[in-house]
C-alpha cells in the first residue's frame, strides 16, 4: 500500500499563525477531477474527428449534426461515434476494475487479470468460437461474461472462500490464469479457423465497435460501476488490513464478494467487447493515487475519467500512425504503457509501498 502523504497542518491552535492555511484538499481534488473531465471531452472529440481516413472538420461536423445517411456522414455517425462510446465505457470499466483490484489485494501493482477474470473471458470466447460456432462479436459477450463469472467464483473458492486473504486470492488467480491461457493457446493451435477469427480480438481492439455491441455491454458495465462506487468506503477500510477493517466495522466477506462481482461485471463485459487490453487497469489507478492519495472515494472517479482518456488517446494514435490501415489499441497501450509505467514505478514516490 502506498505511504500516505504527510498530514495537512491543522487549522487549530497548534498551526503556525503566520502561515496561510493551505488550500483545501477537497477543492484541489475537485478541480483536478474537473480538469480530467475537460481532457476526456477533448479526447472524445479527437476520437470522432481523427481516424484512419482523414476528414475535413466540416465533414465531421456535418456527420454529427446534419446526418444525411450517406458518404462520410455514415463513417462519422455509424463507425466513429460508437467506437468512441465503446472506448469511453470500456476504459472506465478497466480503470475502475484495476482500482478495486489494487484495494482488494492491497497490491498497487495489481490489475484486472490478477484474479483470472480476463483469462476466464478469453477461454469462454475461444470455446464459443471453436466448439459452438459463434462468429459475431455480440455473441461473444454472453460467453465472456459467463466465463469471467465462473472463474471469479472458482478463484474465490480456491482462495479460501470466507477465510480468503489477498495473498490466497492472488495465488489462486495466478494459477487459474496460467491454466486457462494454456487452454486458449492449445485450442488456437489445434483450430486454425478459431485462430484467424481471434487474431484481432486477442490483442485488444475497438475496430469492430457498433451500436449493437455498445448496447450489449453497457448494462453490465453500468451495474459494475454502481457496485464499485457503493463499496468505496469499505474498500478504504480493507486497504488498512483485516484487523483494522473489522475494528472500523467493515464486513470483510461482503465487501470482497461485492468487489469481485463488480470486477467480474466490468472486466467480463469489457473483455468481451474489445478483447484483453493491458495496462489500462494497472497504470491509471496506480498513477491516480499520486494525485488523490489513498482515498477510494476519489481514486474511483479519477480512474473512471482518466482511463478512457488513455484508451481513446491510444486508439487515435493507432489510427493515425498506420494510415490508411490502423494499429490495434491493445498494441498501442502496451507500447506506450510499458515505458511510462516503468518510469512511474522508478520514481521515489511511486515506489514506496
Amino acid at each position: 500500500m502506498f505511504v500516505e502523504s504527510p498530514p495537512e497542518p491543522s487549522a487549530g491552535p497548534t498551526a503556525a499563525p503566520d502561515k496561510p492555511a493551505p488550500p483545501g484538499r477537497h477543492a484541489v481534488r475537485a478541480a483536478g477531477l474537473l480538469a480530467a473531465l475537460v481532457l476526456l471531452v477533448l479526447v472524445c472529440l479527437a476520437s470522432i474527428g481523427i481516424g484512419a481516413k482523414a476528414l475535413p472538420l466540416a465533414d465531421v461536423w456535418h456527420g454529427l449534426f446534419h446526418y444525411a445517411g450517406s458518404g462520410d456522414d455514415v463513417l462519422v455517425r455509424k463507425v466513429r461515434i460508437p467506437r468512441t462510446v465503446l472506448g469511453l465505457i470500456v476504459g472506465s470499466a478497466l480503470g475502475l476494475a484495476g482500482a478495486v483490484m489494487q484495494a482488494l489485494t492491497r497490491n498497487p501493482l495489481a490489475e484486472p487479470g490478477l484474479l483470472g477474470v480476463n483469462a476466464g473471458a478469453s477461454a469462454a470466447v475461444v470455446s464459443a468460437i471453436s466448439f459452438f460456432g459463434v462468429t459475431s462479436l455480440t455473441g461473444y459477450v454472453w460467453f465472456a461474461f459467463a466465463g469471467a463469472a465462473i472463474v471469479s467464483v472458482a478463484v474465490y473458492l480456491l482462495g479460501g472462500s470466507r477465510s480468503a486473504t489477498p495473498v490466497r486470492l492472488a495465488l489462486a488467480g495466478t494459477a487459474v490464469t496460467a491454466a486457462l491461457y494454456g487452454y486458449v493457446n492449445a485450442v488456437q493451435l489445434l483450430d486454425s479457423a478459431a485462430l484467424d477469427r481471434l487474431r484481432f480480438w486477442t490483442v485488444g481492439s475497438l475496430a469492430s465497435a457498433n451500436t449493437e455491441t455498445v448496447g450489449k455491454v453497457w448494462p453490465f458495465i453500468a451495474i459494475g460501476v454502481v457496485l464499485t462506487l457503493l463499496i468505496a468506503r469499505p474498500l478504504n477500510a480493507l486497504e488498512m488490513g483485516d484487523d483494522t477493517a473489522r475494528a472500523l466495522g467493515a464486513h470483510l466477506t461482503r465487501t470482497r464478494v461485492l468487489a469481485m462481482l463488480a470486477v467480474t461485471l466490468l472486466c467480463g463485459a469489457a473483455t468481451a467487447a474489445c478483447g484483453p487490453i493491458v495496462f489500462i487497469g494497472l497504470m491509471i489507478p496506480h498513477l491516480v493515487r499520486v494525485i488523490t492519495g489513498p482515498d477510494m472515494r476519489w481514486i474511483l472517479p479519477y480512474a473512471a475519467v482518466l482511463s478512457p482518456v488513455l484508451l481513446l488517446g491510444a486508439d487515435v494514435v493507432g489510427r493515425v500512425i498506420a494510415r490508411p490501415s490502423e494499429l490495434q489499441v491493445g498494441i498501442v497501450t502496451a507500447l506506450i504503457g510499458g515505458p511510462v509505467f516503468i518510469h512511474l514505478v522508478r520514481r521515489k514516490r511511486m515506489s514506496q509501498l
Side-chain angles (χ1 to χ4, degrees):
M1 189 185 299
F2 288 103
V3 174
E4 294 187 16
S5 301
E8 297 177 78
S10 171
T14 58
D18 55 342
K19 291 183 179 180
R25 176 168 291 188
H26 289 295
V28 173
R29 288 168 171 170
L33 186 58
L34 180 61
L37 286 168
V38 172
L39 180 61
L40 177 60
V41 171
L42 294 176
V43 172
C44 288
L45 293 176
S47 178
I48 295 173
I50 302 173
K53 179 181 179 180
L55 293 179
L57 182 59
D59 291 352
V60 176
W61 182 269
H62 191 277
L64 284 172
F65 300 104
H66 306 285
Y67 181 68
S70 61
D72 292 334
D73 287 359
V74 175
L75 175 63
V76 172
R77 186 70 67 90
K78 300 296 185 182
V79 177
R80 290 189 181 177
I81 290 180
R83 183 171 185 156
T84 301
V85 173
L86 185 63
L88 178 64
I89 62 176
V90 165
S92 294
L94 294 175
L96 288 172
V100 172
M101 284 297 309
Q102 291 173 12
L104 183 65
T105 62
R106 296 198 288 273
N107 180 358
L109 300 181
E111 53 93 23
L114 186 64
L115 292 188
V117 178
N118 288 345
S122 299
V125 170
V126 169
S127 299
I129 291 175
S130 184
F131 302 126
F132 299 101
V134 177
T135 57
S136 66
L137 183 63
T138 53
Y140 300 162
V141 173
W142 304 105
F143 283 91
F145 180 70
I150 292 170
V151 170
S152 295
V153 173
V155 168
Y156 181 68
L157 294 176
L158 291 172
S161 187
R162 290 182 177 273
S163 60
T165 64
V167 174
R168 287 182 178 181
L169 289 174
L171 290 174
T174 300
V176 170
T177 296
L180 288 177
Y181 276 130
Y183 164 77
V184 169
N185 291 333
V187 171
Q188 289 181 348
L189 288 174
L190 295 173
D191 188 346
S192 58
L195 178 61
D196 289 339
R197 288 194 291 268
L198 278 168
R199 58 186 178 140
F200 289 113
W201 183 86
T202 52
V203 298
S205 175
L206 295 173
S208 299
N210 54 50
T211 54
E212 187 177 4
T213 303
V214 173
K216 290 285 187 181
V217 301
W218 81 261
F220 298 117
I221 292 178
I223 296 172
V225 169
V226 172
L227 277 177
T228 301
L229 297 178
L230 288 176
I231 60 175
R233 284 181 179 271
L235 285 175
N236 275 341
L238 200 63
E239 281 191 309
M240 299 179 186
D242 289 2
D243 293 337
T244 303
R246 289 191 188 95
L248 293 174
H251 195 298
L252 301 187
T253 301
R254 181 174 60 194
T255 301
R256 288 193 174 113
V257 169
L258 290 177
M260 292 185 68
L261 176 59
V263 170
T264 299
L265 290 167
L266 295 170
C267 289
T271 304
C274 303
I277 297 177
V278 298
F279 277 110
I280 301 293
L282 173 64
M283 184 169 64
I284 293 299
H286 193 62
L287 176 62
V288 161
R289 286 176 181 271
V290 175
I291 304 172
T292 66
D295 192 344
M296 292 297 294
R297 294 172 298 176
W298 285 99
I299 290 173
L300 294 175
Y302 266 88
V305 173
L306 290 178
S307 295
V309 169
L310 176 58
L311 181 60
L312 289 173
D315 189 45
V316 171
V317 170
R319 284 184 273 173
V320 171
I321 64 176
R323 282 177 173 170
S325 184
E326 65 178 72
L327 198 61
Q328 304 304 314
V329 67
I331 299 174
V332 179
T333 56
L335 292 175
I336 295 175
V340 171
F341 187 69
I342 291 173
H343 169 71
L344 293 174
V345 172
R346 288 178 60 85
R347 290 177 56 189
K348 181 177 180 181
R349 189 178 179 187
M350 293 291 287
S351 58
Q352 291 178 344
L353 303 180

